[in-house]
Amino acid sequence: MKKKILAYRRLEQPVYDRLAKDYDVRLFVDPENDSDFPEFLREAEGVIGIGFPGNAVILDKAPNLKIISNVSVGYNNLELADLTKHGVMGTHTPGVLDDTVADMAMGLMLATARRMPELDGYVKRGLWKGLLPNEWYGVDVHHKTLGIIGMGRVGSAIAKRARFGFDMDILYHTRTRKPEAEERFDASYRDLDDLLKESDYVLLVIPLTEETRGMIGSEQFRLMKSSAIFLNISRGGTIIEEDLIDALQQNEIAAAGLDVFAQEPVDPKNPLLQMKNVVTLPHIGSSTHETEVAMAHLAADNLIAGIEGKRPANLLNLNVLGR
Ligand code: DGY
């Protein structure tokens, strides 16, 4: 009998086809409302997909599970201690998405600074009747100061674009200093408060952990320049969203570009959606045809290794192997 693989919410077709050659794969697009889900989960040896809730409660219902393979670099959906306790491996997909996410970050920065979504509406609603009135002007990106919170792979790919493409000055804040970034991008390390005070653009690109949850709130927004543009491409939980709303309403900062929200999909009544100076995206960091397929293939590599008793290349809970 073929081993069972549970594909959670989404799996790119070429990767589904690849796995289906050797495994009994079933895709659950809407698992909460699928009556077959509990039984398939009980029998599954592997899970592959987006945001599978890897915690003790669900792991108790999956006694045959060997691996949860995230098709994402973020893994805040996985309680790694619970996984290890249950002897389940957790993996993610670092590397393959860096350039794609960095492209999106630059696009979000430009779109917010130059008010592109608003101006798109201006043209399409037939308001373009003469020279653009100056109240519609945006602000420059080039030669400004970009403060990056989190200088991992994606942060570095953004720094590269910003430094060499846009002549921006790069400040960064991380738990540990990154001499390589300082050398390659002429980036200067700052403690968080100084980065917030000095940056024209503040960009958050850190993983969501207990340590980073809610790390940007009213106190931090108050430190930013009133002309600052805040960009979040990490996870909604890294900021206190109500405090961002307040900061924008009080003009403590100028604008925001958001790819992520506290609740996803975002509540249509969220006040951020009513604000002209906020550019919103539906968590599209890695959403290109090429990169989503590449990520899914990498996740499948991890999954197959785990199921077949090998060590997956992108194993997160290394201590699971010594159990
Ligand atoms: C990830 O892979 O975690 C990112 O959120 C992609 O957008």
Side-chain angles (χ1 to χ4, degrees), residues 1 27 33 36 55 62 69 84-85 100 119 140 157 184 199-200 203 231 237 261 270 278 304-305:
M1 227 171 52
L27 174 62
N33 297 310
D36 291 345
N55 56 51
S69 177
T84 301
K85 212 156 132 199
T100 299
L119 287 162
D140 280 335
R184 283 179 68 200
S199 301
D200 299 307
L203 186 142
L231 305 155
F261 294 86
N270 187 323
V278 176
I304 293 166

Side-chain angles (χ1 to χ4, degrees), residues 152-225:
R153 293 187 193 86
V154 175
S156 299
I158 295 167
K160 180 176 160 194
R161 285 157 174 74
R163 178 77 197 132
F164 302 118
F166 293 84
D167 286 314
M168 297 182 90
D169 290 327
I170 311 294
L171 306 180
Y172 79 100
H173 177 77
T174 47
R175 268 183 314 183
T176 44
R177 281 180 79 143
K178 304 276 171 148
E180 199 194 311
E182 297 182 17
E183 201 170 303
R184 283 179 68 200
F185 317 122
D186 210 9
S188 304
Y189 181 83
R190 291 286 188 278
D191 69 27
L192 184 59
D193 287 4
D194 285 341
L195 178 143
L196 298 172
K197 284 182 206 159
E198 292 176 41
S199 301
D200 299 307
Y201 295 84
V202 174
L203 186 142
L204 200 51
V205 57
I206 38 159
L208 174 62
T209 63
E210 280 324 303
E211 208 182 314
T212 63
R213 187 174 293 281
M215 75 178 275
I216 304 292
S218 32
E219 201 184 312
Q220 288 70 33
F221 288 118
R222 268 198 289 271
L223 290 175
M224 294 180 201
K225 297 181 184 181

Side-chain angles (χ1 to χ4, degrees), residues 71-74 93 97 101 233-235 259 283-287 295:
V71 187
S72 63
V73 69
T93 56
L97 74 176
V101 179
I233 66 160
S234 61
R235 288 290 184 269
D259 186 41
H283 199 150
I284 60 156
S286 57
S287 303
M295 286 167 77

Side-chain angles (χ1 to χ4, degrees), residues 4-23:
K4 285 192 167 27
I5 306 286
L6 191 156
Y8 192 74
R9 293 194 185 280
R10 186 173 70 206
L11 187 61
E12 300 303 319
Q13 194 62 46
V15 181
Y16 182 100
D17 295 343
R18 173 184 161 202
L19 289 172
K21 285 189 187 128
D22 297 311
Y23 301 101

Side-chain angles (χ1 to χ4, degrees), residues 18-214:
R18 173 184 161 202
L19 289 172
K21 285 189 187 128
D22 297 311
Y23 301 101
D24 177 5
V25 191
R26 174 134 174 219
L27 174 62
F28 289 87
V29 175
D30 185 13
E32 285 85 16
N33 297 310
D34 192 321
S35 56
D36 291 345
F37 179 71
E39 192 183 336
F40 201 90
L41 178 65
R42 190 153 37 77
E43 293 172 356
E45 292 190 39
V47 166
I48 183 169
I50 320 274
F52 181 84
N55 56 51
V57 176
I58 200 145
L59 292 168
D60 281 341
K61 298 175 182 157
N64 295 302
L65 203 58
K66 293 188 175 128
I67 179 163
I68 301 172
S69 177
N70 268 8
V71 187
S72 63
V73 69
Y75 54 88
N76 49 297
N77 59 308
L78 302 178
E79 298 292 339
L80 293 182
D82 291 350
L83 259 67
T84 301
K85 212 156 132 199
H86 284 75
V88 175
M89 290 177 261
T91 59
H92 68 149
T93 56
V96 283
L97 74 176
D98 300 346
D99 285 322
T100 299
V101 179
D103 287 352
M104 185 280 295
M106 293 310 294
L108 186 58
M109 194 179 339
L110 289 164
T112 311
R114 301 298 301 270
R115 304 171 61 183
M116 288 180 188
E118 266 189 281
L119 287 162
D120 174 70
Y122 177 86
V123 176
K124 288 179 180 163
R125 281 184 285 122
L127 298 176
W128 187 19
K129 302 248 162 72
L131 280 182
L132 186 75
N134 58 9
E135 72 255 29
W136 286 90
Y137 289 173
V139 291
D140 280 335
V141 168
H142 63 86
H143 294 97
K144 295 285 181 76
T145 298
L146 170 63
I148 302 178
I149 303 171
M151 186 61 88
R153 293 187 193 86
V154 175
S156 299
I158 295 167
K160 180 176 160 194
R161 285 157 174 74
R163 178 77 197 132
F164 302 118
F166 293 84
D167 286 314
M168 297 182 90
D169 290 327
I170 311 294
L171 306 180
Y172 79 100
H173 177 77
T174 47
R175 268 183 314 183
T176 44
R177 281 180 79 143
K178 304 276 171 148
E180 199 194 311
E182 297 182 17
E183 201 170 303
R184 283 179 68 200
F185 317 122
D186 210 9
S188 304
Y189 181 83
R190 291 286 188 278
D191 69 27
L192 184 59
D193 287 4
D194 285 341
L195 178 143
L196 298 172
K197 284 182 206 159
E198 292 176 41
S199 301
D200 299 307
Y201 295 84
V202 174
L203 186 142
L204 200 51
V205 57
I206 38 159
L208 174 62
T209 63
E210 280 324 303
E211 208 182 314
T212 63
R213 187 174 293 281

